[in-house]
Amino acid sequence: MTAPPLPREVGRAFDVLPAPIGKRLLQVRALIFATAAAHDDVGRLTETLKWGEPAYLTGETGSGSTIRLGRLKGSDHAAILFNCRTTLVDTFRERFPDQFEYRQTRALLLPVSGALPKRELTVCLSLALTYHLDRRSER
């Protein structure tokens, strides 16, 4: 599965980022779509803007928590942002304590150079895209 064409307004949001961050986040975008396609329960993703940043929602199934792509003030890393009311970032930190840099309970930071840690990142994206499914099964 390849990522669909970028919606115009989402493309503009990537364009205003510093080039190295935008390029890294476009790699993450492709991984989000590939990860979603690997899960039958996720359904089609909605790609939109939230707070002016590219955001990925599981609107069709409600299976997951929103994933946003951007940057944090004062950081030269690419940021993958999650709902701070979830346990996602804490779970990522437990599973991959040394693989990523984190900010509180809301962000996973990626350096803009070097290889994208696809295996670990796929696990994190998978957990976000199926977050509510996992919660439902715990009830």
Side-chain angles (χ1 to χ4, degrees):
M1 156 84 194
T2 57
L6 264 173
R8 184 177 296 142
E9 69 280 2
V10 175
R12 281 196 207 106
F14 279 107
D15 290 343
V16 300
L17 291 165
I21 291 177
K23 184 177 177 202
R24 176 62 75 180
L25 290 177
L26 284 170
Q27 293 172 329
V28 174
R29 174 188 184 264
L31 201 55
I32 290 170
F33 280 101
T35 304
H39 287 280
D40 293 336
D41 299 339
V42 171
R44 201 162 32 105
L45 293 181
T46 301
E47 183 172 25
T48 187
L49 294 178
K50 287 207 176 263
W51 297 283
E53 296 173 322
Y56 303 86
L57 296 73
T58 56
E60 190 173 270
T61 63
S63 66
S65 182
T66 299
I67 300 170
R68 248 182 333 120
L69 302 179
R71 69 185 289 204
L72 298 180
K73 281 187 178 70
S75 173
D76 57 357
H77 284 63
I80 307 173
L81 300 134
F82 302 91
N83 183 325
C84 60
R85 293 191 191 100
T86 67
T87 57
L88 285 165
V89 174
D90 289 335
T91 302
F92 306 157
R93 198 181 269 120
E94 268 174 39
R95 289 204 183 181
F96 306 110
D98 304 318
Q99 185 67 55
F100 303 110
E101 198 179 315
Y102 303 96
R103 284 290 189 280
Q104 292 88 29
T105 56
R106 63 182 286 244
L108 181 158
L109 302 180
L110 293 170
V112 294
S113 60
L116 189 67
K118 285 186 180 173
R119 187 182 59 78
E120 297 87 347
L121 202 48
T122 298
V123 170
C124 296
L125 295 172
S126 227
L127 289 167
L129 292 167
T130 60
Y131 185 76
H132 295 300
L133 293 179
D134 296 341
R135 293 282 168 264
R136 289 178 202 144
S137 64
E138 288 174 8
R139 290 187 188 136

